[in-house]
Amino acid sequence: MAKAKNPSAQIAPPSGLPIDIGISDQDRAAVVTELSRTLADTYTLYLMTHNFHWNVTGPMFSALHNLFMTQYTEIWQALDEIAERIRALGHYAPGTYAEYARLSSIAEPTSVPSAEGMLQMLVDGNEAVARTARAAFRVADEVNDQPTADLLTQRLDIHEKNAWMLRSMLA
């Protein structure tokens, strides 16, 4: 049986009624490209954080287990907001591991690190999402896409704060 082509791998918007929100098709596509990278980094960070929640050990187990749960729960909600913004701009949101692996700037762990290693990887992951969101913000701002810029500003605030909290535990 032939493998079906995944429509979310397309950059072109799905067919349907034209979208006239004051942002050109080309500009919406540029924003979606950056939002797709943000979604991929966010999903990769979500998966890593949840993984570490399950597998953390050591004297800080309870504190880290709870912190990781708080963070992955918030990230999970953000995934839907980012994907729905991509859809509102008239494109399919990426939604497969293959797409996320291709689009993400975050390297996944190849083993279960120590609690300290988990903290460092999550600092790095949150900083990576912040960098990706900041790049997406620049594109959204250039094309006068305030809803996307607002969403990205919120994501920047969360990921920079998470990185600071995690980094503080390593000091």
Side-chain angles (χ1 to χ4, degrees):
M1 180 187 294
K3 186 174 180 181
K5 185 172 181 174
N6 182 349
S8 65
Q10 300 173 14
I11 287 294
S15 61
L17 298 174
I19 297 173
D20 185 12
I21 59 173
I23 304 171
S24 73
D25 291 347
Q26 181 180 352
D27 288 345
R28 282 187 292 107
V31 171
V32 165
T33 296
E34 297 304 318
L35 277 177
S36 294
R37 291 181 181 125
T38 304
L39 181 62
D41 274 357
T42 303
Y43 193 90
T44 303
L45 179 62
Y46 161 78
L47 190 59
M48 185 186 313
T49 307
H50 210 151
N51 171 18
F52 293 168
H53 164 79
W54 290 328
N55 292 305
V56 68
T57 59
M60 298 269 309
F61 168 79
S62 184
L64 293 179
H65 184 75
N66 291 328
L67 175 64
F68 296 164
M69 182 171 64
T70 299
Q71 290 186 358
Y72 79 68
T73 300
E74 192 284 328
I75 295 168
W76 180 255
Q77 296 300 317
L79 290 167
D80 201 50
E81 294 174 19
I82 298 165
E84 287 180 357
R85 184 63 193 155
I86 292 169
R87 294 296 292 133
L89 291 170
H91 292 256
Y92 288 118
T96 67
Y97 290 119
E99 289 171 299
Y100 294 149
R102 180 178 55 81
L103 293 167
S104 182
S105 68
I106 300 172
E108 293 186 290
T110 56
S111 62
V112 177
S114 66
E116 185 175 287
M118 290 176 180
L119 287 168
Q120 185 60 60
M121 290 183 79
L122 292 175
V123 167
D124 295 343
N126 276 281
E127 289 177 347
V129 174
R131 288 188 303 273
T132 304
R134 187 164 273 106
F137 177 89
R138 281 190 288 274
V139 173
D141 192 45
E142 287 174 11
V143 302
N144 206 24
D145 181 355
Q146 293 90 353
T148 299
D150 181 55
L151 171 65
L152 292 165
T153 299
Q154 293 173 40
R155 298 314 314 151
L156 282 163
D157 183 47
I158 294 291
H159 292 291
E160 289 175 1
K161 184 177 181 180
N162 284 351
W164 158 64
M165 290 182 159
L166 294 160
R167 194 180 309 106
S168 295
M169 296 182 87
L170 289 169

